[in-house]
Amino acid sequence: VSNTSSVGGFRNFAPQASVTDGLLDVVIVHRQNIFEILPLLVQIANGVHVSHPKITYFQTDHLTVDCPGHSPIAMDLDGERGDLLPVTISVLPRAIQLIIP
């Protein structure tokens, strides 16, 4: 879940993302084996992965993430440990003002 196109060093991971559109970009990479993931990494690097059959990509203004039936799972927030699932993530449009030259 991102609000920018760049994620984890991939510049076009969420190619439709914009910090001004009021939407979160959600990229779900479905389970696959090592032989499937390697070509997909090349597609991700080139920003052409969103039509891949094992990728789900959508935009929304809010999202609940849960993993029922599993031991507690913590969110990863840009490399930092976050709250345990379930979590609800939402956009707060125009929550801060930026002055940009």
Side-chain angles (χ1 to χ4, degrees):
V1 179
S2 182
N3 199 22
T4 64
S5 61
S6 178
V7 175
F10 292 102
R11 285 182 280 175
N12 292 310
F13 193 73
Q16 297 174 16
S18 169
V19 296
T20 61
D21 65 4
L23 297 172
L24 297 166
D25 286 64
V26 182
V27 181
I28 301 170
V29 180
H30 299 274
R31 183 182 303 253
Q32 47 201 295
N33 66 45
I34 191 71
F35 300 107
E36 293 173 309
I37 198 77
L38 292 175
L40 179 58
L41 290 174
V42 173
Q43 289 184 355
I44 291 171
N46 293 321
V48 296
H49 59 287
V50 295
S51 61
H52 190 280
K54 293 207 174 177
I55 295 284
T56 300
Y57 180 61
F58 62 94
Q59 295 178 303
T60 185
D61 63 351
H62 69 282
L63 178 74
T64 298
V65 180
D66 196 2
C67 192
H70 286 66
S71 57
I73 298 174
M75 292 287 296
D76 180 297
L77 304 172
D78 201 19
E80 301 294 325
R81 183 181 168 91
D83 292 337
L84 295 176
L85 298 181
V87 296
T88 298
I89 306 164
S90 60
V91 176
L92 299 173
R94 295 176 173 55
I96 60 172
Q97 282 188 326
L98 298 176
I99 300 171
I100 301 172

